[in-house]
Amino acid sequence: MNFQSSLDTAASVPSDVAGEAQTWRSGVGRKTQIVVVGGGAGGLELVRRLGAKFGRKHHDIILVDKNPSHIWKPLLHEVAAGSLDANLDEVGYRGHCHKWGYRFFQGTLSGVDRERRAVRLAPVLDDDGSELISEHTIRYDYLVLAVGSVSNDFGVSGVKDHAIYLDARDQADKFRTKLLNHCLRVSRTMSVDPSANARVRVAIVGGGATGVELAAELYNAAGALKHYGLEVFDESRLKVTLLEAGERILPALPEVLSQAAHSELEKLGVEVRVQTQVIKARKGLFLTRDDDAIRADLIVWAAGVKGAEFLTTLGLTTNRNNQIIVRDTMQSVDDDRIFALGDCCSYIPEGEQRPIPPRAQAAHQMADTVYDNMKRVMNNAKRAQAGRSQIALKPFVYKDNGSLVSLSRFSTVGSLMGNLVGGRMAVEGRLARLIYTSLYSMHLLAIHGWLKGLSLMAIGRVNRIVRPRLKLH
Ligand SMILES: Cc1cc2nc3c(=O)[nH]c(=O)nc-3n(C[C@H](O)[C@H](O)[C@H](O)COP(=O)(O)OP(=O)(O)OC[C@H]3O[C@@H](n4cnc5c(N)ncnc54)[C@H](O)[C@@H]3O)c2cc1C
């Protein structure tokens, strides 16, 4: 089956750069097709706005994602621990696209043919491996890559085969199922022999936000299990070890906050080991440089992210982390018609040494810039019916609002940046918690609009009261 003919646009818009980096020339086009690959933190916000603005009248907005639904990635540690039921928070792309005027195709990007301006999607397989839809292509006039990132194992032997990553919903679900099975095993052992010191052991590599948030969330979940049938299970039956190669956890935060988080984790029962470099993973085991073997029922790798391998095969310039290098307009350095945003791109602002960090707030802000630039290109395409015109694209300016790390219901720490607080301000406790949860609220508003976004927030609050605290299957 080939979707190409139904998705082809009748005319494409010629483009070329006229001298300056931010100057774009665009010509006549009957129906322009924008393909956004990746409906995550950045991509879904973008297609929602593009769909709402342009609909299908003059332009065709198409979202491609390998999954049928979206879950905001910063919630994955809660999904893994069972304290969030992803079925309640997920957004089905098919329903969303119907409401917002874009089209959705489920498929995995496997290549880009820049000459023919087409993305190639891998065959779609049924659960039993049989082919449902053969490899096919979708034409684009403008392409936006927003495919996120994958865990970086830094070439450490055995990690890929034995450790669990928290990159996607299915991995978080897999973790939760295994966790619950081990909790059941320990609960059973303890009820048969109360003197047995049975425990569920979890070892997490990476003292960044993901590792720290997961460690705390696991204690929150363990504390709740006794209310849901595992009567002899509580926090003391959980043993979490957090391994960090650097001198302290949360290196992106000021030292005082990193210390506060460290103490809070230890109070919960987490063994925090800094300056501990893992050099090998085996089944149920991490080996450190000091020849220490850390055994666990579940071993998790959360030591950093990189772009997916396939990004290096698209013919676009990538950095050593496989991220597509973009200009300040979010266009790829190689192709004016290809934009990239979020975790999958690398942009180093002028005068800076480091690229913008892979964060939800960066993806959100980049989606804003790409939206503005698409709007400029589209409006110009309409205006330029009779000739060619030049459009100055908007440069991306990153506004670091700070970062917050949630230690589940126990605490939240972080630092706020910006004019509002007059520079950098450390925050902890309720205020930090409030700001942390408002990030997700902002995402809900960005993908659903005010009415539905606010309704969903209210429903979320009710659910927290009426539904079980844990997802137990
Ligand atoms: C546990 C955890 C906690 C986090 N907490 C925070 C936080 O508190 N604050 C913060 O700012 N950031 C946080 N982050 C980071 C944040 O989630 C990411 O930076 C952000 O989601 C990146 O957005 P994105 O749009 O680039 O990619 P994503 O949100 O990852 O979306 C990528 C999309 O692309 C799709 N996709 C991938 N490959 C393909 C393909 N080949 N073909 C088609 N579709 C594809 C995926 O299905 C997905 O829908 C956290 C991350 C994790 C894992």
Side-chain angles (χ1 to χ4, degrees), residues 296-329:
D297 303 303
L298 291 156
I299 63 169
V300 183
W301 187 266
V305 295
K306 62 178 181 178
E309 210 66 45
F310 79 87
L311 292 174
T312 62
T313 65
L314 304 182
L316 302 170
T317 308
T318 50
N319 65 9
R320 64 193 173 104
N321 266 347
N322 306 340
Q323 294 163 301
I324 297 161
I325 300 183
V326 293
R327 284 171 267 160
D328 60 357
T329 54

Side-chain angles (χ1 to χ4, degrees), residues 38 40-42 65-67 73-74 107 109 147-148 166 310 342-343 358-360:
D65 199 288
K66 60 183 177 183
N67 293 311
K73 207 174 170 185
L109 178 74
V147 291
L166 277 194
F310 79 87
D343 287 7
R359 294 213 196 123

Side-chain angles (χ1 to χ4, degrees), residues 326-373:
V326 293
R327 284 171 267 160
D328 60 357
T329 54
M330 296 287 108
Q331 289 161 294
S332 140
V333 290
D334 310 285
D335 192 326
D336 290 339
R337 286 179 181 271
I338 301 184
F339 293 69
L341 63 86
D343 287 7
C344 73
C345 79
S346 169
Y347 169 60
I348 305 180
E350 212 177 307
E352 301 277 338
Q353 306 290 320
R354 292 162 155 255
I356 303 293
R359 294 213 196 123
Q361 60 167 310
H364 166 78
Q365 292 178 30
M366 287 176 177
D368 270 357
T369 300
V370 174
Y371 171 71
D372 279 338
N373 285 339

Side-chain angles (χ1 to χ4, degrees), residues 187 219-235 409 467-470 472:
S187 177
Y219 279 88
N220 175 39
L225 277 172
K226 58 177 172 288
H227 305 299
Y228 299 106
L230 275 72
E231 283 158 16
V232 287
F233 200 93
D234 62 21
E235 299 89 324
R409 68 185 158 90
R467 294 189 67 89
R469 265 174 65 194
L470 291 182
L472 296 162

Side-chain angles (χ1 to χ4, degrees), residues 25 97 119 125 179 183 226 255-256 290 302 374 380 405 435:
R25 262 188 205 157
C97 76
V119 290
L125 306 179
L179 176 72
C183 292
K226 58 177 172 288
E255 192 158 355
V256 59
D290 304 329
M374 282 298 161
N380 187 73
V405 177
I435 302 167

Side-chain angles (χ1 to χ4, degrees), residues 36-45 63-78 80 93 104-111 120-122 145-151 165-169 209-211 213-214 302 305 308 310-311 341-345 357-364 366-367 398 402-406 436 439 443:
V36 177
V37 185
L44 190 57
E45 292 185 8
L63 173 68
V64 175
D65 199 288
K66 60 183 177 183
N67 293 311
S69 63
H70 159 83
I71 180 97
W72 199 50
K73 207 174 170 185
L75 296 176
L76 284 183
H77 64 287
E78 293 183 35
Y93 293 119
F104 170 67
F105 289 89
Q106 191 177 343
T108 301
L109 178 74
S110 59
R120 199 169 48 249
L121 303 185
L145 296 170
V147 291
S149 54
V150 296
S151 285
Y165 298 137
L166 277 194
D167 289 339
R169 157 100 188 257
T210 305
E213 290 188 337
L214 177 65
V305 295
F310 79 87
L311 292 174
L341 63 86
D343 287 7
C344 73
C345 79
R359 294 213 196 123
Q361 60 167 310
H364 166 78
M366 287 176 177
Y398 181 55
S403 55
L404 291 156
V405 177
S406 159
Y436 180 85
L439 293 176
H443 178 65

